[in-house]
Amino acid sequence: MGRIRYTHNSFSIGILRKKIHGNTEFEGYNNSLEECENFQIQPTGGVFKRGGTKFVSRIKGDNAVLILFCYSSSEQYMCEFGDKYIRFYTKYGKLVDGDGKHVEIETPFSIESIKNIKTFQSGNILYLITDLGIYSLKRTSTTSFEIEDKPITYSAEPLT
């Protein structure tokens, strides 16, 4: 028995809900997908393969949390937050200093604090909201970071 092939030129409708599967009378049926795994649909109707990850290193301890630090569109870091440390990675692998050592800084955060960490970023500073307070992680150069020892204090006074 021969196979019938149908060429899709547009996926502008996106992924169909299960209730609509097989309903060929739906006007967007020919511009939709039943499933779209490992691809992303563009607003114009095309699809492209999504980016992936690559194994570059094992974590230092037993548990860690990965947090993205985007300094700019060309300089992005993945931060490995572990028990009392942060290690840094780039899209090329481990971030190393001039001596070839993996860039790492000490922190006051236990693994329990890190599991509940919240972050927000402004420029080259990543603010870390933990149960110990609000800290700032600052990028001082392409291979150098520092964390502020004292929690940031803020005033609850109303703005005038």
Side-chain angles (χ1 to χ4, degrees):
M1 184 178 280
R3 296 178 91 185
I4 298 173
R5 294 182 185 228
Y6 179 78
T7 302
H8 270 66
N9 294 321
S10 175
F11 303 102
S12 58
I13 300 298
I15 301 170
L16 291 178
R17 291 184 179 190
K18 289 189 179 190
K19 291 180 180 179
I20 302 176
H21 287 187
N23 183 358
T24 57
E25 292 179 3
F26 172 61
E27 66 182 55
Y29 186 81
N30 290 330
N31 292 335
S32 61
L33 294 162
E34 179 180 332
E35 186 176 325
C36 185
E37 190 171 305
N38 291 326
F39 288 89
Q40 292 181 337
I41 302 170
Q42 295 175 324
T44 56
V47 295
F48 62 94
K49 193 169 182 178
R50 71 168 176 82
T53 58
K54 178 176 122 180
F55 177 80
V56 292
S57 176
R58 295 200 179 278
I59 61 172
K60 182 178 175 182
D62 294 333
N63 291 315
V65 173
L66 298 176
I67 296 175
L68 186 62
F69 184 4
C70 296
Y71 176 70
S72 69
S73 60
S74 62
E75 293 186 58
Q76 300 173 358
Y77 302 93
M78 184 60 70
C79 306
E80 173 191 326
F81 282 76
D83 194 24
K84 309 285 185 186
Y85 74 91
I86 303 173
R87 290 173 32 176
F88 301 90
Y89 300 87
T90 67
K91 64 181 177 181
Y92 303 109
K94 295 178 184 179
L95 181 64
V96 294
D97 59 14
D99 299 331
K101 295 181 181 176
H102 198 160
V103 175
E104 179 178 325
I105 60 171
E106 292 183 14
T107 69
F109 313 125
S110 66
I111 195 65
E112 289 78 23
S113 297
I114 294 166
K115 288 181 181 177
N116 298 318
I117 200 167
K118 304 288 184 224
T119 63
F120 71 93
Q121 185 175 338
S122 176
N124 64 343
I125 300 175
L126 180 68
Y127 294 97
L128 311 167
I129 304 164
T130 69
D131 55 356
L132 300 175
I134 302 173
Y135 288 78
S136 63
L137 176 65
K138 185 175 184 181
R139 176 188 174 270
T140 54
S141 74
T142 55
T143 59
S144 176
F145 296 83
E146 62 184 33
I147 192 161
E148 194 162 300
D149 292 309
K150 299 177 186 173
I152 298 169
T153 58
Y154 61 92
S155 173
E157 296 176 15
L159 296 173
T160 55

